[in-house]
């Protein structure tokens, strides 16, 4: 199916913005995507017509808010092909989700146990495991990456052992765009009895997800990177995987019975949902899912691949450009540097042309270390981007270069 | 014994006679008050289904190949609905109970009371009635 | 100053709602308040014009979002009279805030140390401390309450000792409305070298807060209970108190340097703000604060006291009514039962008259235990409620009673 | 030596001559390129002010009761602003530096570069310059 991009763009009010007197060219989608009007309206509608605290209320609005929140849980379940609604835990973001699991593992693991992550992980999939290791004495093993930005799978196969208790890997690298071979990792890990957490923050709009097929034990993502609101994340876990974790936060909804003698906890999903959730945000996430499903993930992927190929070609025409991440299997992310120029300078200058890209280490400092660079300039696409915008961006980069050298 | 579906239809007819929710609720309250007392020997932790607001005690026993339910709750509205559930399911065979589809709840307009908000124990109660039916089917 | 309630009501779109064909009478404000249009518009405006990820971006929108987020931090600082902006940590809610602190204390305390809470605490200020005690071996001491719903301060003075390391007390009870003597608790605790956390979830629109005067070490609250959005909370902590806590969640913004050899953490407030925050929600919180300050906390308090007194009088005219929480020093919360009637039944019936109150244990099961009741029906006011609404509510309760007895 | 305020006004006048941001940025870039090299002995961890994207190395020494700053950065735009800061503050007495109010930044329209987003190390750099001034004032 061909997507009607003009029609899609019309659904995003912010794309009509002017920045420094220029049309906004938003190419920082890896950091956060913009929101379609349906998502924005869901929030407004909630606060104007339905707002109430969820779960325990018997009055109408409370029932309505609860129903809508649970509807999103069901929508997420279907979206990622999970078995049960109670395998979907709402968190405040991918980072929160990973911390919940890593915190649990700090009580499940002991000295001698090993955790495997990779060199291209986002800090959010590194630091929680470092804290976990500090607390329980387990050790952290790192899968190195090859020059083209792919995981060195030979190393992984050598590294994993019976001591490995959990492997935590991003589905798609936020800096390089590499799509990691998570299926292979999961099947090898399971062979050796290790669990697997997949950080899907960059994947939910690019890969058709089916948890039953994928067989990941945990899968995490953030709503704000998939056209949804800020402040909402998802932790998917297999029923038995979630049940094996101790409670994380205490309070509110997550209890069965509280007494000073003995407190018992509610079953999934409530066990992990302490406190009043981001009700408006969760309800709006349902609209984001609807938006993505209407377009079709494959269509989004294919269209972004077109943008990626065009942009890659054009940018490589600029002398001195180096692109980091050259896997054949990558999504719409281009991390680059220009010889002799600091990425910060590029970002600051093209901003004046209305072009928003991200520069810096992208919360992947070890990866920057690996390439011995202070950072990169990163272009990242969403489904509303166009070839024309890429042309504007390339022109801006060329102008920046001519000013800087 | 009438079939489960026939009883459900009778209940739907009963409720159709009412003009407004007040009459429906008053009827439920009456049913709740008239619900036969649960033998206090059965009002024990093991039989407790905990909603977050009202509690339900449910007891099941087998008699001549049919299951007989008795129950109680601390909230009267909950008890009223329990009375209806017992009227529908009690005195049926385990298989009939396990396979039953309880559509009357939607039809009589008290679905609010059966939302998955856990505020009362009714959703769990229906589940528990079916579990008993399966368990006692031997 | 007299508040113009009609004018205030006009700012809340939801108050025009019909429930079961009746005008909504929303008296469940202890669970969550409704939102003025200024708060709703702030969210819409953010997503339509400004959405971008914060902090590390060099492009215009990222700078704007960052500036606005930091503006809210500054507004919160002023609102609660803190010393520094970096003493304000954004969390997902009061529950999240308490868990952050309690988790930290589980590494700071050891067997023999004591934590004091009270019998009237919300589960969110009980369970995190139970988990903390389980992890570190400290023990939990409980201040009992008197029949009128006030803390038994004599007991507190006897209970606290050099072994007490932290006292965690709600400023206002969400079930009883009691305003606790937090000043006395803080000064006594400090005398003995213990820190104090105040759970201000119910207090922020009723008490003028000044952290420097109050001298609490930690103070927590939720935006959604003060006319703000869901999914945003605040943890205030004195600089040295926050610095004494270990990091909680890892990832994203909270680092200084990440490497596989050694990761170091960012200074306050970033140390405790891992992951992409609820940017839209935080920005909207600023509008909620503006709304409250414009009306004036004293005016809100006084007006709600009027409602409280009127409603208390009227409800006590119903035969068989018992009110729990009869302190002279209480805010607009009435928890009651009617002889021989389960609160659930009241809630379900008056809902049909459009009246939304909360029934149940209000996440204070130990308090229910204390009064030997399964729950209460709870009316809780906000500044937009009226005498007329109270009359409708009282009528509805009377009708429910006549149906039920 | 001219006073800090006089130098600031000169800079403001310089920038007022430019028609657009491109000229301003080109000027900053030029200033960045012309910034005297920092003695490599001073390009050490101790002198490093870490922004989250660009880094700044700052060295200060006292000479005849005035402070002399030298500095470097890996990003050229940052270096350009450093050049301005040095022009304004270097060769002044510790007290003058500590008490200075740097209004020129707002006036020349490059405040974006000095937001508290930590993207470059400039806010920390100004703070550090004042700290050095106080520390060397003895
Ligand atoms: C006194 C008190 N503490 C804590 C909380 C928890 O707040 P939240 O659910 O927003 O985290 C509440 C809200 O119910 C409360 O009333
Ligand atoms: C791969 C990856 N993992 C984790 C995260 C963290 O997501 P969040 O900041 O929404 O918690 C991000 C977002 O930056 C990411 O790209």
């Amino acid at each position: 199916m061909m997507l009607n991009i003009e029609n899609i763009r019309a659904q995003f009010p912010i794309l009509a913005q002017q920045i420094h007197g220029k049309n906004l060219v938003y190419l920082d989608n890896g950091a956060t995507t913009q929101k379609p009007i349906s998502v924005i309206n869901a929030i407004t509608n909630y606060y104007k017509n339905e707002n109430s605290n969820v779960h325990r209320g018997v009055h109408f609005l409370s029932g309505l808010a609860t129903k809508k929140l649970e509807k999103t849980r069901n929508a997420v379940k279907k979206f990622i092909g999970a078995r049960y609604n109670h395998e979907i835990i709402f968190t405040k973001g991918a980072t929160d989700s990973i911390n919940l699991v890593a915190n649990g593992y700090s009580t499940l693991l002991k000295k001698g146990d090993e955790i495997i992550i990779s060199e291209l992980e986002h800090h959010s999939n590194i630091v929680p495991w470092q804290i976990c290791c500090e607390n329980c004495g387990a050790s952290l093993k790192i899968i190195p990456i090859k020059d083209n930005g792919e995981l060195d799978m030979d190393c992984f196969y050598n590294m994993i052992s019976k001591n490995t208790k959990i492997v935590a890997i991003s589905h798609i690298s936020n800096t390089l765009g590499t799509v990691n071979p998570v299926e292979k990792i999961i099947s090898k890990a399971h062979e050796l009895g290790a669990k697997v957490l997949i950080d899907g923050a960059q994947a939910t709009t690019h890969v058709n997800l089916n948890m039953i097929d994928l067989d990941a034990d945990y899968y995490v993502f953030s709503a704000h990177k998939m056209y949804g609101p800020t402040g909402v994340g998802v932790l998917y876990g297999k029923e038995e995987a979630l049940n094996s974790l101790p409670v994380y936060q205490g309070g509110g909804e997550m209890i069965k019975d509280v007494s000073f003698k003995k407190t018992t906890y509610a079953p999934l999903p409530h066990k992990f949902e302490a406190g009043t959730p981001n009700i408006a945000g969760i309800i709006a996430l349902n609209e984001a899912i609807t938006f993505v499903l209407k377009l079709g993930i494959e269509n989004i992927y294919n269209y972004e691949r077109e943008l990626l190929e065009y942009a890659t070609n054009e940018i490589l025409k600029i002398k001195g450009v180096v692109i980091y991440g050259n896997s054949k299997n990558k999504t719409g992310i281009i991390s680059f540097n220009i010889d002799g120029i600091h990425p910060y300078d590029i970002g600051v200058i093209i901003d004046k042309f209305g072009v928003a890209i991200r520069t810096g280490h992208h919360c992947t400092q070890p990866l920057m270390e690996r390439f011995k660079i202070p950072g990169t300039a990163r272009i990242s696409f969403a489904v509303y981007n166009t070839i024309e915008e890429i042309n504007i961006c390339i022109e801006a980069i060329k102008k920046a270069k001519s000013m800087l050298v | 014994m009438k079939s489960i579906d026939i009883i459900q239809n009778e209940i739907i007819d009963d409720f159709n006679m009412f003009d407004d929710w007040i009459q429906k609720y008053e009827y439920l309250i009456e049913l709740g008050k008239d619900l036969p007392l649960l033998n206090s020997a059965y009002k024990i932790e093991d039989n407790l289904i905990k909603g977050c607001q009202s509690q339900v005690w449910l007891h099941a026993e087998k008699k001549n190949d049919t299951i007989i339910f008795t129950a109680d709750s601390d909230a009267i509205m909950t008890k009223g609905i329990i009375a209806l559930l017992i009227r529908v399911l009690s005195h049926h065979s385990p298989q009939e109970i396990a396979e039953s589809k309880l559509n009357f709840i939607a039809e009589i307009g008290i679905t609010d009371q059966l939302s998955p908000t856990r505020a009362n124990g009714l959703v769990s109660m229906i589940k528990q009635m079916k579990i008993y039916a399966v368990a006692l089917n031997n």
Side-chain angles (χ1 to χ4, degrees), chain A, chain B:
Chain A
M1 190 184 87
M2 277 282 287
L3 295 173
N4 180 337
I5 304 301
E6 269 322 297
N7 187 303
I8 291 170
R9 289 181 68 81
Q11 297 175 50
F12 289 79
I14 205 172
L15 297 180
Q17 265 291 1
Q18 300 254 314
I19 302 297
H20 306 301
K22 314 270 183 198
N23 290 331
L24 169 65
V25 174
Y26 187 80
L27 295 169
D28 189 18
N29 297 287
T32 197
T33 59
Q34 298 303 338
K35 323 303 172 197
I37 192 70
S38 58
V39 167
I40 302 171
N41 285 346
I43 298 172
T44 315
N45 177 56
Y46 170 73
Y47 284 128
K48 285 192 177 171
N49 300 306
E50 303 167 347
N51 175 62
S52 175
N53 214 328
V54 288
H55 290 310
R56 284 148 190 274
V58 300
H59 62 78
F60 179 83
L61 288 180
S62 178
L64 184 62
T66 306
K67 223 174 285 173
K68 285 203 146 185
L69 186 143
E70 294 303 327
K71 231 171 120 179
T72 299
R73 201 188 302 278
N74 189 247
V76 171
K77 182 204 108 168
K78 285 191 189 149
F79 180 64
I80 65 170
R83 266 187 193 81
Y84 309 113
N85 281 357
H86 61 256
E87 293 177 325
I88 309 301
I89 311 291
F90 291 120
T91 65
K92 74 175 168 187
T95 303
D96 193 20
S97 302
I98 297 171
N99 276 279
L100 193 164
V101 177
N103 175 76
Y105 269 81
S106 74
T107 71
L108 298 178
L109 303 189
K110 54 180 194 313
K111 214 174 137 75
D113 289 338
E114 290 171 3
I115 298 167
I116 293 180
I117 63 173
S118 89
E119 206 172 6
L120 57 62
E121 297 309 314
H122 188 280
H123 294 165
S124 293
N125 199 28
I126 299 174
V127 184
W129 301 109
Q130 291 182 317
I131 296 173
C132 170
C133 286
E134 225 164 82
N135 289 337
C136 70
S139 53
L140 197 59
K141 301 254 166 171
I142 317 295
I143 310 172
I145 63 156
K146 300 187 289 187
D147 288 342
N148 70 354
E150 293 180 355
L151 298 183
D152 187 333
M153 288 297 283
D154 291 341
C155 273
F156 167 69
Y157 289 123
N158 283 330
M159 178 182 294
I160 192 166
S161 77
K162 291 273 180 206
N163 296 330
T164 309
K165 297 305 169 200
I166 186 160
V167 182
I169 293 286
S170 52
H171 202 155
I172 294 176
S173 158
N174 65 306
T175 303
L176 307 176
T178 318
V179 183
N180 293 319
V182 289
E183 298 81 1
K184 284 185 191 149
I185 291 170
I186 292 168
S187 82
K188 183 68 189 173
H190 285 174
E191 226 173 76
L192 289 159
K195 303 286 183 207
V196 181
L197 176 144
I198 303 294
D199 170 3
Q202 296 290 338
T204 44
T205 62
H206 301 113
V207 185
N208 270 310
L209 293 172
N210 184 299
M211 289 303 128
I212 295 175
D213 294 348
L214 184 64
D215 206 24
D217 301 281
Y218 305 99
Y219 197 97
V220 311
F221 54 97
S222 291
H224 73 92
K225 291 185 197 280
M226 53 184 287
Y227 310 105
T230 57
V232 180
V234 168
L235 165 62
Y236 156 84
K238 285 184 192 168
E239 187 181 53
E240 66 271 24
L242 288 174
N243 276 330
S244 75
L245 296 178
V247 294
Y248 182 47
Q249 297 196 324
E253 271 303 301
M254 55 74 78
I255 56 94
K256 182 155 166 263
D257 251 310
V258 174
S259 83
F260 294 127
K261 270 186 252 100
K262 181 160 182 50
T263 289
T264 53
Y265 302 117
L268 298 174
H270 307 287
K271 174 181 170 188
F272 292 117
E273 293 181 354
T276 302
N278 184 351
I279 309 170
I282 292 170
I283 290 173
L285 169 57
N286 199 351
E287 289 301 323
I289 291 173
T290 303
F291 173 81
V292 168
L293 289 178
K294 247 191 208 156
L295 298 184
I297 287 177
E298 225 168 281
N299 297 322
I300 297 173
Y301 174 81
N302 288 336
Y303 178 68
E304 289 184 26
R305 280 291 302 196
E306 270 176 49
L307 296 179
L308 174 69
E309 274 155 38
Y310 178 81
T312 304
N313 277 333
E314 290 304 309
I315 207 165
L316 282 174
K317 288 181 189 161
I318 301 172
K319 237 188 99 191
V321 160
V322 185
I323 290 179
Y324 303 92
N326 297 296
S327 171
K328 285 218 184 63
N329 203 0
K330 71 178 272 194
T331 55
I333 287 173
I334 303 175
S335 253
F336 69 95
N337 271 330
I338 302 177
D339 209 24
I341 298 180
H342 195 283
Y344 173 79
D345 290 322
I346 298 174
V348 165
I349 292 175
I350 72 174
D351 170 57
K352 287 284 189 182
F353 292 101
V355 181
I357 65 167
R358 187 126 313 214
T359 58
H361 53 61
H362 318 297
C363 291
T364 55
Q365 284 185 354
L367 187 62
M368 298 298 103
E369 187 87 351
R370 156 72 175 77
F371 284 113
K372 307 240 172 302
I373 47 178
T376 73
R378 183 188 71 180
I379 297 168
S380 54
F381 300 114
V383 69
Y384 41 68
N385 289 128
T386 63
I387 297 286
E388 198 192 329
E389 288 182 314
I390 294 173
N391 289 336
I392 294 170
C393 173
I394 301 278
E395 272 317 299
I397 293 170
K398 283 183 187 159
K399 281 190 194 135
K401 187 188 166 195
S402 75
M403 285 169 73
L404 287 163
V405 291
Chain B
M1 190 63 203
K2 297 172 200 163
S3 81
I4 285 179
D5 282 345
I6 288 178
I7 304 174
Q8 292 201 73
N9 285 334
E10 286 176 2
I11 291 175
I12 293 165
D13 287 346
D14 286 355
F15 274 81
N16 274 340
M17 283 167 27
F18 299 126
D19 293 332
D20 58 15
W21 70 267
I22 295 193
Q23 292 182 351
K24 287 184 193 175
Y25 272 36
E26 281 175 341
Y27 180 57
L28 274 176
I29 291 165
E30 209 174 296
L31 291 174
K33 288 182 182 161
D34 294 346
L35 186 69
L37 272 185
L38 179 67
N39 185 326
S40 66
Y42 299 137
K43 219 166 157 176
I44 51 174
E45 187 70 23
D46 269 0
N47 286 335
L48 181 62
I49 299 164
K50 242 188 130 143
C52 101
Q53 295 204 11
S54 63
Q55 321 200 49
V56 174
W57 291 266
L58 174 68
H59 173 71
E61 58 187 49
K62 205 168 170 182
K63 203 169 170 182
N64 309 331
D65 291 332
T66 68
I67 310 282
I68 297 179
F69 292 108
T70 43
D72 194 8
S73 171
D74 49 357
I76 198 79
M77 292 283 298
T78 310
K79 253 173 112 165
I81 300 168
I82 289 173
L84 291 175
L85 289 169
I86 290 182
R87 178 168 155 203
V88 171
L89 295 178
S90 215
H91 296 287
H92 287 97
S93 74
Q95 199 187 339
E96 285 172 310
I97 294 167
E99 289 172 358
S100 65
K101 285 206 171 55
L102 299 181
N103 66 313
F104 81 93
I105 293 158
E107 304 270 338
I108 64 177
I110 54 161
T111 36
D112 302 2
Q113 306 312 316
L114 284 158
S115 69
T117 63
R118 308 189 299 143
N120 56 41
L122 285 168
V123 173
S124 313
M125 167 153 172
I126 295 174
K127 207 192 265 175
Q128 191 57 43
M129 289 173 105
K130 296 198 171 196
I131 290 171
Y132 272 135
V134 174
L136 293 172
N137 188 17
N138 50 17

